[in-house]
Amino acid sequence: MNRSIKLINLVIFVLFMANSLSLNAKSQAKKYHQIEWEELVPLDDLELLLNPPASIMDIQDGSSLDSVDALAERDDLDEQTKRYYQALKSDRVVGALNNKPVKLPGFIVPLEVNEENKVTEFFVVPYFGACLHMPPPPPNQIVYAKVKKGFVLESLYNPYWFEGTLVTATNEHDLGNSAYQINIDSFYLYEE
């Protein structure tokens, strides 16, 4: 009887340890690095975007010159303003983020739906209305995602957290182009 109890205790201990090791391995398997949208932009582009040239600051809000397309059509741009325009349209990426497990907040812009009207492909963008109600952000501020099973999108107004592996890969669509792709492990409503 005593030997049976020892054997049972040994089996319970082994199962406990195996379960504990398995849970520990799973929790350490994917640690997501939370990133902000600015981290997707190469530093030299980010520096330009944060410090626009004086010629841009002189354009009156809402005027015919107040758009990226109008800026592209101008012949009188100095080198700094030309470089600023390039940063506004940049598909340059931060190579260190390639194949990195990340957690990123953002909004969903649906691209494709299946026969059940579930979203299967979409862009993740930094702010509501990007690509739909206003010009799209630069490609290095758009992340492409695909979910095979699809999901019902309750509202375009809701921000989400996205967890997965970020990849530097371009995707083109009528609504915009992306310079990154995320292989999604999970996504859920945004909560701070």
Side-chain angles (χ1 to χ4, degrees):
M1 179 94 169
N2 195 9
R3 187 174 181 179
S4 297
I5 293 175
K6 286 182 180 178
L7 185 57
I8 290 172
N9 285 338
L10 179 62
V11 168
I12 291 171
F13 175 75
V14 168
L15 289 174
F16 173 78
M17 289 305 293
N19 188 40
S20 177
L21 289 173
S22 173
L23 289 174
N24 191 27
K26 285 180 184 174
S27 70
Q28 296 205 6
K30 269 251 170 125
K31 292 212 177 194
Y32 300 101
H33 174 69
Q34 185 174 323
I35 61 172
E36 300 298 326
W37 284 94
E38 298 83 28
E39 294 176 64
L40 300 174
V41 181
L43 288 178
D44 57 337
D45 280 354
L46 184 59
E47 181 65 28
L48 280 167
L49 294 171
L50 293 175
N51 299 295
S55 59
I56 298 298
M57 302 310 286
D58 293 338
I59 296 173
Q60 183 179 357
D61 287 344
S63 74
S64 61
L65 298 175
D66 187 24
S67 75
V68 175
D69 292 333
L71 185 62
E73 294 172 6
R74 292 183 53 184
D75 298 347
D76 61 338
L77 301 179
D78 58 67
E79 285 306 311
Q80 185 181 12
T81 306
K82 287 178 186 176
R83 181 66 186 96
Y84 179 77
Y85 170 74
Q86 291 170 346
L88 287 174
K89 295 298 223 174
S90 182
D91 62 358
R92 294 177 56 224
V93 296
V94 176
L97 293 174
N98 192 35
N99 291 313
K100 186 166 189 161
V102 299
K103 179 178 179 179
L104 176 72
F107 291 86
I108 293 174
V109 177
L111 300 176
E112 298 290 332
V113 295
N114 64 17
E115 59 281 346
E116 299 168 344
N117 208 28
K118 292 182 177 181
V119 176
T120 56
E121 294 181 45
F122 57 96
F123 282 144
V124 179
V125 293
Y127 51 87
F128 170 74
C131 303
L132 294 174
H133 305 297
M134 56 187 69
N140 60 15
Q141 290 286 281
I142 300 177
V143 178
Y144 171 81
K146 189 173 187 175
V147 178
K148 287 184 183 180
K149 293 179 184 178
F151 63 94
V152 175
L153 181 62
E154 298 294 330
S155 171
L156 294 173
Y157 299 101
N158 294 333
Y160 290 84
W161 281 112
F162 299 89
E163 295 176 335
T165 304
L166 194 67
V167 179
T168 55
T170 57
N171 287 279
E172 296 181 10
H173 193 275
D174 292 341
L175 293 177
N177 300 326
S178 66
Y180 292 96
Q181 178 174 321
I182 188 167
N183 299 321
I184 292 183
D185 294 324
S186 66
F187 66 100
Y188 46 91
L189 281 174
Y190 179 90
E191 292 180 23
E192 287 191 56

